[in-house]
Amino acid sequence: MSLGDEPGYPETGHTRTRLPDDPYGGARRGARSSSRSLVTVVGVVVLLIAAIAFANRGDGDNSSSTSSSSNGSGSGSRPVTSSTAASGTKPVDTKNAGIPTGFAHTRQGAESAAANYAVTLGSTGMFNKDSRHRIVNALYTSAAAAKLQSPMDAAYSTGLLSKMGLDANGNPPKGSTFVSRTVPVGTKVVQYGDSEAQVSVWYMGLAGMSGTSSTNPVTTTWKTWTFDLQWADNDWKVSADSQTDGPAPVPGDDQAATSDAISKAVEQYGGFTYAR
């Protein structure tokens, strides 16, 4: 029997993709474009934020970036490979409003900071104005945070929230669960110096609305988030950040879960504090 004859696996020429029978009740194949639009909207918001951060960097940032390159490990502008095996070193001892703080003034500390910052900046907390302001103030340098707050508020507009199925405060409809999670897969130090570092985080993102009436099922996306970090106030702070798509692996043939299963998983499985 050929791949095309196997039940549930349409012929694609080279790969097989198992399609869910009826994900989230009414969200059949036609709703996939809606979920892709949701992920695209989230991506546009994050990229807009990154672009604002880069545009607002002063000459001092550019000159210090050159300095961090010269203070690296001697490999010039080439990324430095490093083991991603668990080191046994605890990343942080404290948290500020649930946000890990106090990362070590080391190469590994910068990697841990970048991974944890990606998690926080990709969370549902970014869709509420008050919590977003707390997050930005905690993770960015004071200069970057001051410049980002207003543009971020404009980016996370009520119109955008409405398109994502959220109310003006970032809350989902009753009976639905909004999902926005960043799951780091690994980190890479691009540059490292005593006062600055650039770290990339490869991650899988989850985004969508879980609910029986949802037409935007929770879907996955793969991206790489690069953070420019500065050592300030005894911690690593973000001075600028940017994102690129991928690298994305070939999708598996897992059966899509029901809305109820996804909602329960989000409620029952908490996130991690990430070390290198």
Side-chain angles (χ1 to χ4, degrees):
M1 180 172 63
S2 67
L3 292 179
D5 296 329
E6 190 173 352
Y9 295 90
E11 179 64 52
T12 59
H14 299 284
T15 61
R16 66 181 189 177
T17 302
R18 187 174 185 182
L19 304 178
D21 294 330
D22 193 9
Y24 294 15
R28 296 183 181 273
R29 289 291 292 172
R32 296 296 294 172
S33 60
S34 297
S35 62
R36 289 196 185 97
S37 297
L38 175 60
V39 173
T40 300
V41 167
V42 176
V44 167
V45 171
V46 176
L47 289 175
L48 173 60
I49 293 168
I52 293 170
F54 272 114
N56 286 331
R57 286 194 301 176
D59 294 335
D61 289 332
N62 293 330
S63 60
S64 54
S65 175
T66 302
S67 173
S68 66
S69 175
S70 61
N71 291 332
S73 61
S75 61
S77 60
R78 294 190 310 170
V80 179
T81 59
S82 61
S83 171
T84 54
S87 66
T89 301
K90 191 173 182 179
V92 291
D93 295 318
T94 59
K95 289 188 176 183
N96 178 11
I99 304 171
T101 59
F103 292 92
H105 192 185
T106 62
R107 187 187 190 92
Q108 180 174 325
E111 290 183 82
S112 296
N116 284 282
Y117 294 171
V119 171
T120 304
L121 290 169
S123 69
T124 56
M126 291 295 290
F127 296 84
N128 173 270
K129 183 177 180 179
D130 292 338
S131 62
R132 180 171 63 251
H133 282 205
R134 287 193 297 269
I135 290 171
V136 172
N137 286 329
L139 304 190
Y140 285 82
T141 63
S142 56
K147 294 178 180 179
L148 280 174
Q149 293 291 15
S150 292
M152 276 192 175
D153 290 343
Y156 286 93
S157 65
T158 54
L160 174 71
L161 297 179
S162 177
K163 289 180 180 178
M164 302 176 75
L166 304 171
D167 64 18
N169 293 317
N171 299 313
K174 185 177 181 180
S176 296
T177 302
F178 177 61
V179 181
S180 180
R181 285 197 182 187
T182 299
V183 185
V185 177
T187 59
K188 177 181 68 176
V189 175
V190 181
Q191 294 178 349
Y192 181 78
D194 185 61
S195 60
E196 292 185 330
Q198 188 177 70
V199 181
S200 292
V201 181
W202 179 35
Y203 74 90
M204 179 187 71
L206 301 175
M209 187 75 72
S210 177
T212 55
S213 61
S214 172
T215 58
N216 293 309
V218 178
T219 58
T220 59
T221 183
W222 290 84
K223 292 181 180 293
T224 299
W225 206 333
T226 300
F227 293 92
D228 287 354
L229 303 173
Q230 290 184 3
W231 184 255
D233 299 326
N234 294 317
D235 206 353
W236 289 108
K237 300 288 186 178
V238 182
S239 61
D241 56 304
S242 62
Q243 290 202 52
T244 57
D245 293 333
V250 176
D253 59 355
D254 298 321
Q255 178 70 45
T258 63
S259 167
D260 185 58
I262 291 293
S263 295
K264 287 181 178 178
V266 171
E267 295 169 357
Q268 296 172 357
Y269 292 86
F272 295 96
T273 298
Y274 286 84
R276 179 179 58 79

